[in-house]
Amino acid sequence: MNTTIPYTNLITGTMDVISQSLTIPVLIILSIMFIITVVMLGMVISEYTSRKKVSVETISKLIYDINNAISIYELETIVTNSELPKSQKDVLNNIIQSHTLSETSREALARRLVETEEEKTENTLRKTDIITKIGPTLGLMGTLIPMGPGLAALGAGDITTLAQSLTVAFDTTIVGIGSGALAYVLSKVRRGWYEHYLSDLDALTDALLDKMGRL
């Protein structure tokens, strides 16, 4: 005895309409993500060629120079003439210019400036992090959605429609996984740079605040 679940045809038909209606949006989003990933790759290459590589020895020497400074003016000179990236110099010079503030206020300002740099790095990484997470998912969706019509075409003996469905399925899988993998690599590379950048900035900020508290 066959038992038919009420409204089965209605439910399955509705789900089929929903899934098929997602085909174009998924393809568009995958295409956009792939373009963004390629653009980000170019930006990472450009950033690599232009970024200043500051060694541990340079940071160590700079901390010693800060500690040996005898005036606010000398601190400004040390920071300005250093080999640090401009963004780090700007943060440190802003802290130096706050020498008229109380120690508590100066530390609060320094903390906020460093947090702003952290927010900038997180904003830069957010795009590739998102693509890393949803790229493979959308690729899987793009694989499964055309499989329905493809299997139906197979049952009807329509090889042409089946071939078209399989082509779309394979293409979306490749684009989704490829975009996610490339975005993951870009995020890892950039995150390593930014962690080093923020670590240097934290060390220099602490040294600067300590010295300014003793001037």
Side-chain angles (χ1 to χ4, degrees), residues 58-127:
T58 300
I59 297 298
S60 178
K61 181 180 182 302
L62 190 54
I63 290 175
Y64 275 105
D65 290 342
I66 290 173
N67 186 65
N68 294 330
I70 59 175
S71 67
I72 294 297
Y73 175 77
E74 187 175 354
L75 285 175
E76 289 180 336
T77 302
I78 290 171
V79 171
T80 302
N81 294 335
S82 68
E83 299 177 7
L84 297 174
K86 182 179 181 301
S87 55
Q88 285 183 332
K89 288 182 181 180
D90 290 342
V91 171
L92 297 177
N93 279 325
N94 281 334
I95 295 173
I96 293 172
Q97 291 168 8
S98 69
H99 63 91
T100 56
L101 298 176
S102 66
E103 184 175 351
T104 302
S105 297
R106 187 163 56 243
E107 290 178 355
L109 174 62
R111 185 168 57 252
R112 187 67 191 96
L113 290 172
V114 173
E115 288 174 353
T116 299
E117 291 300 304
E118 293 175 352
E119 291 169 1
K120 289 179 181 178
T121 61
E122 285 300 319
N123 289 336
T124 302
L125 293 170
R126 186 170 292 117
K127 290 180 182 178

Side-chain angles (χ1 to χ4, degrees), residues 146-147 149-154 157-171:
M147 292 301 290
L151 293 175
L154 177 62
D158 187 353
I159 303 301
T160 301
T161 301
L162 174 62
Q164 292 174 347
S165 298
L166 291 177
T167 300
V168 173
F170 292 148
D171 289 345

Side-chain angles (χ1 to χ4, degrees), residues 27-81:
L27 294 177
I28 292 174
I29 295 173
L30 279 172
S31 300
I32 293 173
M33 284 199 314
F34 181 76
I35 293 172
I36 292 174
T37 305
V38 173
V39 171
M40 295 296 288
L41 174 61
M43 293 174 64
V44 169
I45 294 174
S46 175
E47 186 176 348
Y48 174 77
T49 57
S50 62
R51 67 187 292 265
K52 287 188 175 182
K53 303 173 181 64
V54 183
S55 65
V56 176
E57 291 75 16
T58 300
I59 297 298
S60 178
K61 181 180 182 302
L62 190 54
I63 290 175
Y64 275 105
D65 290 342
I66 290 173
N67 186 65
N68 294 330
I70 59 175
S71 67
I72 294 297
Y73 175 77
E74 187 175 354
L75 285 175
E76 289 180 336
T77 302
I78 290 171
V79 171
T80 302
N81 294 335

